[in-house]
Amino acid sequence: MESSEEDDEYPYIESIIPQSKIDSVHQSLTEKGIRKLCCELLDLKDAVENMCGDMRTKYLAFLRISEEAVEMEHELVELRKHISSQGILVQDLMAGVCREMDDWNRSAGDADDAQDKEDPLPDEVTDPKSEFLEKIDLLLAEHQVDEALEAMEAEERNCPDLKGSVEMSSYKSAFMERKAVLEDQLLKIAKQPSVSVAELKHVLTGLIRLGKGPSAHQLLLKFYATRLRRRIEAFLPSCSSCPHTFPATLSKLVFSNISVAAKESTAMFGDDDNPAYSNKVVQWAEREVEYLVRLVKENASPSETASALRAASVCLQDCLNYCKVLEPQGLFLSKLFLVLFRPYVEEVLELNFRRAQRVIFDMTETDEGLESSSDFLAILSEFAIASDTTMTDCSIRFMQIVQDILDQLTHLVVLHFGESVLTRILQLYDKYIDFLIKALPGHSDEDGLPALQDNNVLARAETDSEQLALLGAAFTILDELLPKSLVKVWELQIENGGGEGESSAALNSSAAPELKEWKRHMVQAFDKLRNYFCLQFVLSFIYSREGLTRLDALIYLTEIPDDSNLPSLPFQALLSKLQQLAVIAGDVLLGKEKLQKILLARLTETVVIWLSNEQEFWSAFEDESNPLQPSGLRQLILDMNFTVEIARFAGYPYKVVQNHASVVINRAINIFSERGINPQSSLPKTEWFTEAAKSAINRLLTGSEDASEPEEYECEEDDNHIVLPEIDEEEDSDSVETSSLSTMDSFESFASASMADLESPSFTDSES
């Protein structure tokens, strides 16, 4: 029984769930409920916010509509008032008309009744002037300007006192007041922004009829100026999308507006009969041109870019053409435009050539806008094989940037700024030459060349082939590429210079002198590089690495002569050195035979020039402690003749070498004569020296046993004949002397120079 009672007291003891499980279950259910409730609250919050936003928007719309309704109500009230006033006016008019009709009928009846009376009373007469003024007031109140104007003109015709200079009467004063009111109404119509051209012309005609021509003319010009401003303001935002051509559109807008305004002014005011109006049109047109120039400056690309140069060229081209079109209308604006626009064009040219300097000389500078011309690359890349690529890149950049600048120019820019462009190209080429000189061996900071930055220095051209490649690139630019580019620009100028033959011929004759002077300076700039190369080449040949001279006076004072009749070892080495250089030049300067001859001729000249100017050499002869021998004088004269024969045999100009050799020989003969040696008795005939020099050349070139190998000067003799072209000895020497950089002296060959310019040595004042 006890056990059963316990079972009854605790019947489900086995199914009791642990408290921890109960807590976990309730906790999980509570979290889910809370999360769900949070989500619902957030959704409710968003819905409330959206509803509030909609309510706010609708409320604002309601307020706006309410305000508009109030304004509309006010307008309706004003409209009712206006209608009421108009109704009253109409009623007054009707009453007045009826009263006048009654008075007229009554007066007509009274007149009939008074016919039989002996002393009739005079009828009361109304004042016609007052009636006219009332009529004008009515027309002005209704803004019927045309009817009011016609009425005033009719009254002036009927009453001459209104237009005369008589004393001001009360009627005339009232008439003038109403005339001023009419003028104000016409002016208000003309000044409305939405007035059309036809309406404006109608109003201006009315002002002219009122005698207000100056005011009407001023309104006409102001109207066209305002219309131009609106058109330009609408166009300016698109300028950035067309930086090259936007000046063409601007100039068309401005000058077409000037043309239309001038035509309308002539048609309405007769400018030919009244110079005051034409002068005002000219002054107004000048202000519009100033406005155009300012717009182009403000909206153009940066002045150093090619886009700015092209924009300036297009603007100048189009504007001058438009100015020419306006000249028959009496508007001569070309000079004014050039005065205003010239400083800007000069600034753009200057900054573009400064950019060109950075592109050419700064190896880190890049200009992606430059187009690579296949002609430039094909021609100048030939020198990259024999030199460092950076040297060739400098030359290619030079032509690319110059061509890029020239491509932006129009023919009228060339006509007015051609000399300035040529001057800047010359300055750029001169800096380019100085740049190349710094790459040649032997250059030092004391050479007087402009200092360049660290990143503006080329690698040294150590070998002969690299140095010749520099010369070849500079010469090709001078003689071939640059003239070709410039001729295209000047030919374009001649083709488009004018439709008549006279203008084209004048243009050609005016361009030729500046090009001739320019090409002379260009050749002088190249001469700096050529002369520097020749001088350094000769100095490296004359002096050893230890600084000792190989061409010493002791050769002619101490050496024992032999019977071989050969030149001294330095001059034998000179022949071998020139032969080796000619072989290298034939490979590096392939197709540039003209330059090869110029360089080799200049090298030969430089040796003789150096000898004639070397005071230490001549001091040894003048020193009385050094004994002189007739054989030394003979050897010196043979060496000079040998040098002349090298030039003659090689086929390049030798007259300059011969002249300087004669100076050396005469100086030596004078020194020997002063020292007591009679040259006439100790020297053979002149023909002997010439034949001995020719024989020596043949023996040295053919490798005869009698020829001495100049091992001391590290020059190797070539077993073959010299590679320089040999000339016919019977050929007239004058034909050899007249070599030149170019055989053309015409306009197309403006970069060429005569040999007289190139052969003039620049080492001493006594040279010619």
Side-chain angles (χ1 to χ4, degrees):
M1 293 297 290
E2 294 179 356
S3 61
S4 62
E5 291 178 358
E6 291 177 356
D7 294 338
D8 295 336
E9 187 176 358
Y10 303 100
Y12 302 101
I13 192 70
E14 292 85 357
S15 60
I16 294 175
I17 300 172
Q19 185 65 35
S20 59
K21 185 175 182 180
I22 293 173
D23 294 340
S24 64
V25 171
H26 283 283
Q27 184 178 2
S28 61
L29 292 176
T30 303
E31 288 180 354
K32 291 181 180 178
I34 292 173
R35 290 177 182 174
K36 183 177 180 181
L37 183 60
C38 289
C39 293
E40 293 176 353
L41 290 174
L42 290 175
D43 294 337
L44 182 60
K45 179 184 177 182
D46 294 337
V48 171
E49 289 178 352
N50 293 333
M51 184 176 65
C52 292
D54 294 340
M55 290 179 62
R56 188 180 297 106
T57 303
K58 293 178 180 178
Y59 179 70
L60 293 175
F62 172 75
L63 292 179
R64 185 172 62 255
I65 294 173
S66 300
E67 292 176 357
E68 292 177 355
V70 172
E71 293 177 358
M72 185 64 69
E73 185 178 357
H74 287 304
E75 291 180 0
L76 289 174
V77 172
E78 294 295 331
L79 184 59
R80 289 193 188 98
K81 292 180 180 180
H82 180 68
I83 293 174
S84 300
S85 61
Q86 293 296 322
I88 294 171
L89 179 61
V90 171
Q91 291 177 359
D92 293 341
L93 288 174
M94 292 175 63
V97 170
C98 293
R99 187 170 55 255
E100 289 181 359
M101 290 295 295
D102 293 339
D103 294 340
W104 183 78
N105 292 330
R106 191 180 301 110
S107 61
D110 294 340
D112 293 337
D113 295 338
Q115 288 181 357
D116 298 332
K117 296 182 178 180
E118 296 179 355
D119 297 324
L121 295 175
D123 187 16
E124 184 178 353
V125 180
T126 58
D127 188 4
K129 295 181 179 180
S130 299
E131 290 182 356
F132 172 78
L133 294 178
E134 291 177 359
K135 179 183 178 181
I136 293 299
D137 290 339
L138 179 62
L139 293 175
L140 292 177
E142 296 177 353
H143 294 279
Q144 298 182 17
V145 292
D146 293 337
E147 291 78 357
L149 181 60
E150 291 177 359
M152 287 185 176
E153 289 181 339
E155 183 68 13
E156 287 180 342
R157 288 194 298 269
N158 297 329
C159 186
D161 294 342
L162 295 176
K163 300 182 66 176
S165 59
V166 297
E167 296 181 358
M168 182 69 67
S169 62
S170 59
Y171 176 66
K172 183 176 181 180
S173 176
F175 181 84
M176 297 304 295
E177 289 178 359
R178 286 155 178 79
K179 195 172 184 179
V181 173
L182 178 59
E183 179 183 353
D184 292 338
Q185 291 185 358
L186 291 174
L187 291 176
K188 289 179 181 179
I189 297 174
K191 293 179 181 179
Q192 290 180 359
S194 59
V195 65
S196 63
V197 177
E199 293 174 345
L200 177 71
K201 293 171 68 176
H202 184 70
V203 171
L204 296 182
T205 303
L207 288 173
I208 294 173
R209 291 166 63 182
L210 285 176
K212 302 298 180 181
S215 299
H217 192 265
Q218 184 178 0
L219 282 174
L220 175 69
L221 298 181
K222 185 177 180 181
F223 169 78
Y224 280 101
T226 304
R227 189 174 70 165
L228 175 63
R229 298 302 188 275
R230 288 199 298 265
R231 291 182 177 180
I232 290 178
E233 288 175 359
F235 170 72
L236 285 180
S238 61
C239 289
S240 57
S241 61
C242 48
H244 291 177
T245 58
F246 84 91
T249 305
L250 281 179
S251 58
K252 182 178 180 180
L253 289 174
V254 172
F255 283 97
S256 62
N257 192 67
I258 293 175
S259 178
V260 173
K263 290 179 180 178
E264 293 294 342
S265 177
T266 302
M268 296 185 64
F269 299 92
D271 294 348
D272 296 337
D273 300 331
N274 194 340
Y277 292 138
S278 60
N279 292 337
K280 289 182 179 180
V281 172
V282 172
Q283 295 172 2
W284 172 79
E286 290 176 351
R287 291 194 297 270
E288 296 301 295
V289 171
E290 294 176 4
Y291 176 61
L292 170 63
V293 173
R294 186 170 66 253
L295 283 177
V296 173
K297 293 179 181 179
E298 293 174 353
N299 295 276
S301 303
S303 298
E304 64 179 2
T305 61
S307 297
L309 181 58
R310 183 60 183 176
S313 300
V314 171
C315 182
L316 186 138
Q317 178 77 25
D318 291 347
C319 289
L320 289 181
N321 287 335
Y322 288 133
C323 290
K324 188 175 182 181
V325 174
L326 291 177
E327 288 179 0
Q329 297 179 237
L331 298 175
F332 299 91
L333 304 173
S334 300
K335 291 183 178 180
L336 172 67
F337 175 76
L338 284 175
V339 170
L340 296 174
F341 205 60
R342 180 178 292 275
Y344 177 67
V345 177
E346 292 287 356
E347 174 190 349
V348 173
L349 284 173
E350 178 65 25
L351 293 179
N352 268 267
F353 275 95
R354 289 184 185 179
R355 173 175 61 91
Q357 292 183 28
R358 294 196 301 270
V359 172
I360 296 171
F361 305 129
D362 190 349
M363 299 305 168
T364 61
E365 183 80 13
T366 58
D367 193 337
E368 298 178 356
L370 296 179
E371 297 181 0
S372 57
S373 173
S374 58
D375 296 337
F376 299 158
L377 293 176
I379 296 175
L380 294 176
S381 297
E382 296 177 359
F383 303 104
I385 302 175
S387 65
D388 188 86
T389 55
T390 57
M391 302 178 185
T392 308
D393 290 343
C394 177
S395 302
I396 293 176
R397 286 187 174 197
F398 179 91
M399 280 309 306
Q400 284 179 333
I401 191 67
V402 171
Q403 184 64 50
D404 180 62
I405 292 175
L406 293 176
D407 288 343
Q408 313 307 323
L409 305 180
T410 58
H411 69 277
L412 287 180
V413 174
V414 174
L415 177 63
H416 293 280
F417 297 90
E419 186 174 357
S420 177
V421 173
L422 291 177
T423 301
R424 287 180 168 87
I425 292 177
L426 172 62
Q427 294 172 352
L428 188 64
Y429 185 77
D430 190 68
K431 288 183 173 62
Y432 165 72
I433 291 297
D434 293 339
F435 190 59
L436 296 184
I437 289 177
K438 284 183 172 290
L440 294 178
H443 163 72
S444 62
D445 295 335
E446 290 77 18
D447 289 339
L449 297 177
L452 299 174
Q453 300 177 0
D454 294 339
N455 55 348
N456 293 350
V457 179
L458 287 173
R460 287 286 186 183
E462 299 294 345
T463 64
D464 292 341
S465 60
E466 291 178 344
Q467 298 170 29
L468 290 175
L470 288 182
L471 285 162
F475 179 78
T476 302
I477 291 174
L478 168 67
D479 190 59
E480 182 177 348
L481 300 180
L482 198 54
K484 184 178 179 181
S485 299
L486 284 172
V487 164
K488 289 181 180 178
V489 177
W490 259 256
E491 283 182 348
L492 178 64
Q493 172 195 357
I494 294 175
E495 291 173 2
N496 299 335
E500 301 178 0
E502 295 181 0
S503 60
S504 298
L507 188 61
N508 189 6
S509 61
S510 63
E514 65 182 28
L515 290 172
K516 184 176 181 181
E517 182 68 15
W518 175 82
K519 69 179 181 182
R520 186 176 66 85
H521 289 295
M522 289 288 289
V523 171
Q524 290 177 353
F526 175 76
D527 285 349
K528 291 195 302 181
L529 178 63
R530 183 202 62 180
N531 294 339
Y532 192 89
F533 165 78
C534 294
L535 180 60
Q536 296 303 319
F537 184 88
V538 170
L539 291 179
S540 64
F541 161 72
I542 293 176
Y543 291 96
S544 63
R545 294 181 179 179
E546 293 76 16
L548 301 177
T549 179
R550 293 164 173 163
L551 188 55
D552 196 352
L554 296 178
I555 298 174
Y556 307 103
L557 296 177
T558 59
E559 291 187 1
I560 301 175
D562 53 21
D563 297 333
S564 61
N565 295 331
L566 289 174
S568 55
L569 292 180
F571 288 90
Q572 295 182 37
L574 174 63
L575 176 62
S576 178
K577 190 71 174 176
L578 290 175
Q579 183 183 8
Q580 293 176 8
L581 188 63
V583 173
I584 299 174
D587 296 334
V588 177
L589 305 178
L590 184 62
K592 303 288 188 297
E593 289 79 8
K594 182 168 44 180
L595 178 60
Q596 295 180 37
K597 286 188 176 184
I598 292 172
L599 287 177
L600 295 173
R602 186 62 182 175
L603 285 171
T604 310
E605 298 167 17
T606 306
V607 174
V608 182
I609 292 172
W610 178 89
L611 189 62
S612 63
N613 294 334
E614 183 60 25
Q615 188 58 38
E616 185 178 353
F617 177 85
W618 296 106
S619 297
F621 287 99
E622 296 170 353
D623 188 359
E624 295 183 358
S625 62
N626 295 329
L628 299 179
Q629 300 294 333
S631 59
L633 178 59
R634 188 186 70 173
Q635 186 65 41
L636 178 59
I637 297 175
L638 177 60
D639 290 344
M640 294 297 100
N641 280 271
F642 179 76
T643 306
V644 174
E645 291 304 319
I646 290 177
R648 189 198 300 270
F649 177 81
Y652 45 76
Y654 63 90
K655 278 293 184 180
V656 176
V657 182
Q658 191 175 44
N659 292 337
H660 287 286
S662 300
V663 173
V664 173
I665 293 173
N666 292 333
R667 184 173 181 179
I669 291 176
N670 292 334
I671 293 175
F672 274 76
S673 300
E674 293 174 358
R675 296 285 300 276
I677 297 178
N678 185 8
Q680 301 297 331
S681 60
S682 58
L683 295 177
K685 295 182 179 181
T686 305
E687 292 77 5
W688 180 89
F689 290 105
T690 302
E691 295 300 327
K694 292 180 180 180
S695 175
I697 291 175
N698 292 327
R699 291 159 62 188
L700 291 173
L701 294 180
T702 56
S704 174
E705 294 180 357
D706 295 335
S708 300
E709 184 71 21
E711 298 177 355
E712 180 183 352
Y713 299 91
E714 300 177 359
C715 297
E716 298 179 359
E717 196 67 42
D718 198 323
D719 294 336
N720 300 325
H721 291 287
I722 192 169
V723 298
L724 293 173
E726 183 176 0
I727 63 171
D728 188 359
E729 294 182 1
E730 297 179 358
E731 184 179 356
D732 187 8
S733 62
D734 294 339
S735 64
V736 182
E737 297 164 17
T738 57
S739 174
S740 65
L741 282 175
S742 176
T743 58
M744 297 181 292
D745 294 329
S746 64
F747 168 77
E748 289 79 3
S749 64
F750 60 85
S752 306
S754 64
M755 200 63 217
D757 292 332
L758 291 173
E759 288 182 352
S760 300
S762 58
F763 297 109
T764 177
D765 296 334
S766 62
E767 300 165 10
S768 61

